[in-house]
Amino acid sequence: MKVLYFHEYFSTHEGSSGSRSYENAKALIAKGHEVTMVCGTTGRSDTGLSGDFQNGKRTGNVDGIEVVEWHLPYSNYDGFVKRSITFLRYAMRGLGLALTRKYDLLFATSTPLTAGVPGIAASLLRRKPFVFEVRDLWPELPREMGIVSNPLILKALDILEWLSYHTATRCIGLSPGIVEGIIRRGIDPQKVALIPNGSDLDLFTPDGNSYRPKILQGKDFVAIFSGAHGMANGLDALLDTAAELMRRQRDDIHLLFVGEGKMKPALQQRAAAENLKNCLFLDSIPRKKLAALQRSVNVGLMILANIPAFYYGTSPNKFFDYISSGLPVLNNYPGWLANLIQEHNCGLAVPPSDPKVFADALEYMADHPGELETMGKNARRLAEMEFGRRKLADEFVNWLEGVHDKTTVFQKGSSLR
């Protein structure tokens, strides 16, 4: 089958953002399917294409994937209005492709929620099978975070969410809470699959060459946070913990921030103002280099703002990268990941908004290297048993093939009648 695949932030392993769509597309191709990837441009992504844009677009073949990249720059530093405009421009251009391209199935992955617009059109106007993947629940998350408060905008998002779910032939949720959120909107549970983010077991490994930048030279114990530095991440909690560690004179424990985002300048300014020498900052780095960096640190940090919708409604790439690397995980919010950590003894989970307890956990991990090593081995074992990227990509392909097979049978039956 020919799959028209929409992911605004598509990236290969050469970029610093998640590569789920790259792996899923390659899995489809390995099964004999054709994939056209439709994406935009971000500072953290690497689509595999190079050269100039012609009329705002460039195309090419990347590892068997036909990539259509539009020059729609996006950054985590952008404000709400600018990001919204970029999302809408991507959706409108996608609408044109959805209505004119030859394909058998349209797949779209959010966020943003507007990624579903081409699929809605494909389903309603061309009767094409449409599979919608939900990475975050909108508008629930922006409403709870206070990012969006305008009732008209919230109502518009609510309608778009309903249409995306109800026009989709099938849906995919990346976490248990997302799956439940889709079902609450009236979708048959049989039409919703849980396929979380996965671990790249070949790239993120405990063994192999390591990368240790100059700022880590001479640092005994390092806990890493890798990913976006935005409002949702609640990284001030880490600075609160860093201050507590400084008060305890635990100068041997360091917190490493790797990534970009709107809140990063403020975090750096605060760390400097409070003389938090135990906070270290690096810019985003390609995933291959990140894998090497994670081999040289001791703990992976899972940090999110204390918002109940996050507890079961997120599937962060960083968690699966950590456990694949054999890193014990320290998590500061309840939910399904905290439960996994505790059930498999692959780290520690602490209550949110409590820097003293968080500092206690870091001290314990630093002072018990034997237990830390056991947690790390358990983490890698969990990644291998449940979250291998290839296994999950196969589940993804099977889910899409099931849609296409049923549609083909229906269409043949209709033509006979």
Side-chain angles (χ1 to χ4, degrees):
M1 64 180 170
K2 295 182 179 180
V3 179
L4 189 59
Y5 195 131
F6 285 86
H7 184 193
E8 189 163 351
Y9 316 130
F10 170 73
S11 181
T12 68
H13 289 158
E14 300 302 320
S16 58
S17 59
S19 57
R20 174 187 177 93
S21 289
Y22 172 69
E23 297 293 345
N24 285 347
K26 289 204 303 179
L28 282 164
I29 291 167
K31 291 289 186 72
H33 305 297
E34 298 177 29
V35 179
T36 298
M37 183 68 62
V38 186
C39 59
T41 303
T42 77
R44 297 176 58 221
S45 299
D46 187 320
T47 64
L49 299 181
S50 59
D52 296 333
F53 288 88
Q54 300 295 328
N55 297 318
K57 181 179 75 172
R58 62 184 177 187
T59 62
N61 189 286
V62 178
D63 297 333
I65 309 165
E66 180 191 359
V67 178
V68 177
E69 180 184 356
W70 289 315
H71 186 55
L72 295 171
Y74 170 86
S75 169
N76 286 330
Y77 292 95
D78 294 341
F80 176 75
V81 173
K82 186 175 181 180
R83 280 182 291 162
S84 298
I85 292 172
T86 302
F87 297 159
L88 288 172
R89 290 177 65 196
Y90 175 80
M92 291 304 101
R93 291 192 183 185
L95 188 60
L97 281 185
L99 295 177
T100 58
R101 277 265 179 159
K102 291 183 179 180
Y103 57 91
D104 300 305
L105 181 147
L106 190 147
F107 176 85
T109 181
S110 70
T111 55
L113 183 59
T114 47
V117 169
I120 294 169
S123 176
L124 295 178
L125 301 178
R126 296 188 68 184
R127 302 299 180 188
K128 293 286 188 180
F130 163 41
V131 178
F132 189 51
E133 179 177 81
V134 185
R135 296 179 178 230
D136 293 302
L137 287 174
W138 279 60
E140 288 90 332
L141 287 181
R143 181 190 289 121
E144 288 200 25
M145 291 174 61
I147 295 175
V148 181
S149 57
N150 185 303
L152 293 178
I153 296 177
L154 287 170
K155 185 60 178 178
L157 289 172
D158 188 66
I159 292 170
L160 181 56
E161 180 191 44
W162 190 94
L163 281 172
S164 297
Y165 297 168
H166 284 266
T167 57
T169 314
R170 287 184 177 181
C171 294
I172 295 173
L174 268 66
S175 75
I178 293 174
V179 169
E180 291 175 7
I182 296 170
I183 293 170
R184 281 199 304 269
R185 297 290 273 169
I187 303 302
D188 182 351
Q190 298 300 314
K191 294 183 178 181
V192 187
L194 170 61
I195 306 178
N197 274 319
S199 295
D200 191 327
L201 300 173
D202 297 324
L203 178 60
F204 287 88
T205 63
D207 305 312
N209 296 328
S210 62
Y211 164 60
R212 198 165 179 86
K214 288 183 180 180
I215 62 170
L216 294 188
Q217 299 302 320
K219 304 299 188 291
D220 299 323
F221 186 90
V222 178
I224 185 173
F225 173 88
S226 64
H229 293 34
M231 289 180 60
N233 304 99
L235 293 178
D236 272 305
L238 270 186
L239 269 63
D240 294 341
T241 300
E244 177 64 24
L245 289 168
M246 293 289 286
R247 283 191 286 272
R248 299 181 186 187
Q249 299 184 337
R250 287 305 304 255
D251 300 335
D252 57 317
I253 300 174
H254 293 81
L255 307 179
L256 175 63
F257 299 73
V258 181
E260 308 292 339
K262 190 174 182 179
M263 303 304 297
K264 184 171 183 175
L267 293 167
Q268 291 176 303
Q269 290 169 10
R270 179 187 164 189
E274 297 182 21
N275 198 29
L276 300 177
K277 296 180 180 180
N278 51 357
C279 290
L280 311 170
F281 294 87
L282 281 178
D283 293 338
S284 294
I285 57 178
R287 285 174 65 75
K288 289 182 179 179
K289 199 171 186 178
L290 177 62
L293 173 61
Q294 290 189 173
R295 295 187 192 108
S296 71
V297 301
N298 306 94
V299 172
L301 298 172
M302 280 304 308
I303 312 296
L304 277 175
N306 185 21
I307 296 172
F310 285 149
Y311 297 172
Y312 292 89
T314 60
S315 184
N317 280 306
K318 63 180 71 66
F319 173 79
F320 303 98
D321 293 344
Y322 292 156
I323 62 173
S324 187
S325 298
L327 278 179
V329 181
L330 178 53
N331 181 90
N332 82 328
Y333 61 97
W336 76 291
L337 294 184
N339 294 342
L340 276 174
I341 290 167
Q342 293 170 326
E343 179 183 349
H344 294 273
N345 187 30
C346 58
L348 297 175
V350 298
S353 308
D354 194 332
K356 291 185 178 180
V357 175
F358 200 108
D360 290 342
L362 279 169
E363 282 192 296
Y364 184 88
M365 296 174 104
D367 295 340
H368 295 81
E371 288 188 43
L372 204 66
E373 182 178 359
T374 298
M375 290 177 183
K377 290 179 179 178
N378 291 341
R380 175 67 184 190
R381 189 176 301 115
L382 173 61
E384 292 173 343
M385 287 190 309
E386 296 190 26
F387 299 111
R389 181 66 59 77
R390 291 177 186 172
K391 168 182 172 290
L392 295 174
D394 284 343
E395 292 180 16
F396 170 84
V397 172
N398 291 338
W399 192 241
L400 266 60
E401 286 178 336
V403 174
H404 179 252
D405 292 345
K406 286 185 177 181
T407 304
T408 302
V409 169
F410 173 77
Q411 289 173 342
K412 287 181 178 179
S414 297
S415 64
L416 288 174
R417 290 193 296 269

